[in-house]
Amino acid sequence: MLSSLSVTLVFAAAVLLTTALKLWLLARQQRHVAAHRGNVPAAFATAVPLAAHQKAADYTLAKGGLASFSIVFNAALLIGWTLLGGLDALNAWTQSVVGPETWAGYAQPLLLIGAFALIGMLLDLPLELYSTFVVEQRFGFNRTSWQLYVVDAIKGLAVGLVIGGPLVWAVLALMKSAGSLWWLWAWGLWLGFQLLIMLLYPLLIAPLFNKFEPLQDESLVQRVQALFQRAGFSAKGLFVMDGSRRSAHGNAYFTGLGAAKRVVFFDTLLKRLDGAEVEAVLAHELGHFKLRHVPKRLIAFALISLAGFALLGWLAQQPAFYVGLGVRPSLVAGNEALALLLFLMVVPVLAYPLAPLLSASSRRHEFEADAYAVEQADGRALASALLKLHEENASTLTPDPVYARWTYSHPPALERLGAIHAKLSPA
Ligand SMILES: [Zn+2]
């Protein structure tokens, strides 16, 4: 039997440990970037001006300061919701609103989850506004207006409600009535839902926020089509997105499944790259498809979430799980919503040791996609495009090695360019 005291102690210790670890890693990064602010690293001395290097350092430090505040704030919030009784109070309030005769239905759990999500959003808002309108603004990246910000927020809420509402309702229904293996059904539902979103996101959701247009430039179109043909890829898969509406950051990404799969270039990036560089970056993104990185990630995600759902299935049955996390479970009605919310709060803390494994696997995929691009396109153009991407986004060229190992989803520039050059001129 799980005792509530041991749940409290393990949870409190895990929150303290992960928070301390995150702050320590970030402090290392901040010190390392500040210490290397004065000089462009030797490997980049001819390609990167000192002013750009220093802008990247200052930007990284500014974002890091905000991130360390956010780490402490989120840890306090987590303790506030759980051990200090925040969720318990919210639960009592929703019970008093809907009245005891309907506790067994869906009104109270849906109200509880909705109110929790809304409060979480409002608490996040000041930091988000500060990040967009102060930090991004100061470094010349922000292009979002207040009007656009508000419209985005309303659209985001509406999409969340339309998509999240039915999903939450369906999971609650399974928890209430699918028997002791409900978590297995819920996992299947969750997985199907993820696949559906992967299909629908590029077609229905992303266009609510941005315009996606086929490539215009005729000579570029020909280059791209030749590459698509060499790689055996359907030629309708490249789109240009008006990323410049919100931010000067540039990027390219791949998304979708099956017929919906596509590569997206931000207009901001397209402006900065020449034809050979666009082709090389596109070849990198095609590499992700060719090397089946999407299904590989999906399988890893499916296995990890299966373990998560099994854990939730067990925890939801343990009174100590609720009491130990500061919530009084109801004895007359279901506690499905409480179990879900507590679990969503606990999981990131428990799963934090997985973070370096996931980022290491993501970095391996980046190396593989780079190698593919060097075979299919001009490796030197890929290297210069990567440097431009770093400069454009003021990404630091001198991250702390430990911080990068733990958190970076992409390899640091020095390692990435080293691997590309090694492929170009094998010893
Ligand atoms: Zn990539």
Side-chain angles (χ1 to χ4, degrees):
M1 251 323 243
L2 212 55
S3 91
S4 58
L5 180 63
S6 61
V7 170
T8 304
L9 289 178
V10 167
F11 176 68
V15 171
L16 268 177
L17 259 171
T18 52
T19 304
L21 184 58
K22 285 179 192 171
L23 288 174
W24 176 75
L25 285 166
L26 192 56
R28 284 189 62 110
Q29 168 82 338
Q30 299 285 85
R31 270 200 309 276
H32 199 90
V33 169
H36 291 81
R37 184 183 181 279
N39 297 300
V40 180
F44 304 108
T46 51
V48 178
L50 181 64
H53 174 67
Q54 294 188 326
K55 179 187 175 187
D58 296 340
Y59 181 55
T60 307
L61 292 172
K63 279 198 309 181
L66 196 59
S68 46
F69 177 80
S70 152
I71 290 168
V72 174
F73 178 74
N74 283 323
L77 200 60
L78 190 56
I79 297 294
W81 275 124
T82 53
L83 303 185
L84 298 182
L87 184 59
D88 195 51
L90 188 64
N91 189 42
W93 175 76
T94 57
Q95 284 175 342
S96 72
V97 169
V98 300
E101 64 284 355
T102 55
W103 283 3
Y106 288 94
Q108 190 267 334
L110 286 175
L111 180 64
L112 176 61
I113 291 173
F116 178 85
L118 193 65
I119 293 171
M121 261 184 55
L122 292 176
L123 288 171
D124 275 345
L125 198 58
L127 265 180
E128 252 187 53
L129 290 174
Y130 186 82
S131 164
T132 303
F133 292 103
V134 178
V135 178
E136 294 290 302
Q137 189 80 37
R138 191 191 320 151
F139 289 90
F141 287 126
N142 179 44
R143 296 210 182 135
T144 305
S145 63
W146 285 96
Q147 292 91 322
L148 185 58
Y149 194 91
V150 172
V151 171
D152 279 353
I154 293 170
K155 281 188 200 166
L157 260 178
V159 170
L161 219 60
V162 167
I163 294 176
L167 177 71
V168 169
W169 175 84
V171 170
L172 288 173
L174 285 173
M175 293 178 90
K176 280 179 189 290
S177 52
S180 62
L181 281 182
W182 70 264
W183 54 271
L184 199 57
W185 296 106
W187 173 71
L189 175 78
W190 169 245
L191 213 55
F193 174 79
Q194 293 291 330
L195 286 172
L196 190 69
I197 291 294
M198 284 182 80
L199 278 171
L200 295 185
Y201 178 82
L203 301 178
L204 292 181
I205 301 171
L208 292 175
F209 296 90
N210 282 99
K211 274 207 209 58
F212 292 83
E213 281 168 347
L215 205 55
Q216 301 291 340
D217 182 329
E218 209 31 66
S219 68
L220 209 49
V221 168
Q222 277 173 9
R223 245 178 199 284
V224 163
Q225 271 167 355
L227 171 66
F228 274 135
Q229 224 146 45
R230 284 205 300 285
F233 201 83
S234 129
K236 59 176 182 192
L238 175 65
F239 289 84
V240 180
M241 184 187 108
D242 59 343
S244 57
R245 280 186 76 192
R246 295 188 182 80
S247 156
H249 285 296
N251 209 349
Y253 66 91
F254 66 98
T255 177
L257 271 183
K261 71 184 168 201
R262 54 179 62 188
V263 175
V264 174
F265 266 76
F266 286 32
D267 54 354
T268 34
L269 180 64
L270 204 60
K271 264 198 212 98
R272 281 276 284 152
L273 302 185
D274 66 27
E277 289 167 340
V278 169
E279 188 182 332
V281 172
L282 182 60
H284 168 98
E285 302 299 338
L286 292 187
H288 283 305
F289 283 118
K290 280 280 154 184
L291 299 159
R292 312 195 61 71
H293 290 160
V294 180
K296 281 178 191 167
R297 278 178 209 184
L298 212 56
I299 290 169
F301 170 80
L303 293 177
I304 293 172
S305 56
L306 177 62
F309 273 97
L311 182 64
L312 174 58
W314 179 70
L315 286 175
Q317 302 292 322
Q318 313 294 321
F321 174 59
Y322 303 89
V323 179
L325 294 176
V327 174
R328 289 160 297 170
S330 160
L331 300 175
V332 290
N335 294 295
E336 293 83 11
L338 283 177
L340 271 183
L341 291 176
L342 285 177
F343 188 70
L344 286 178
M345 286 191 268
V346 167
V347 148
V349 181
L350 295 183
Y352 190 61
L354 285 179
L357 299 178
L358 293 176
S359 49
S361 124
S362 165
R363 287 195 304 271
R364 199 174 53 244
H365 287 171
E366 294 307 322
F367 279 127
E368 289 173 9
D370 280 349
Y372 179 85
V374 172
E375 279 164 24
Q376 295 289 331
D378 180 357
R380 270 165 237 289
L382 180 63
S384 68
L386 283 177
L387 265 185
K388 281 188 187 172
L389 203 61
H390 270 75
E391 188 179 335
E392 201 75 338
N393 292 320
S395 309
T396 179
L397 296 169
T398 57
D400 172 63
V402 178
Y403 182 80
R405 282 274 163 281
W406 194 286
T407 65
Y408 271 31
S409 66
H410 286 60
L414 192 61
E415 289 176 32
R416 224 174 144 181
L417 294 180
I420 292 170
H421 287 303
K423 271 208 85 84
L424 281 172
S425 47

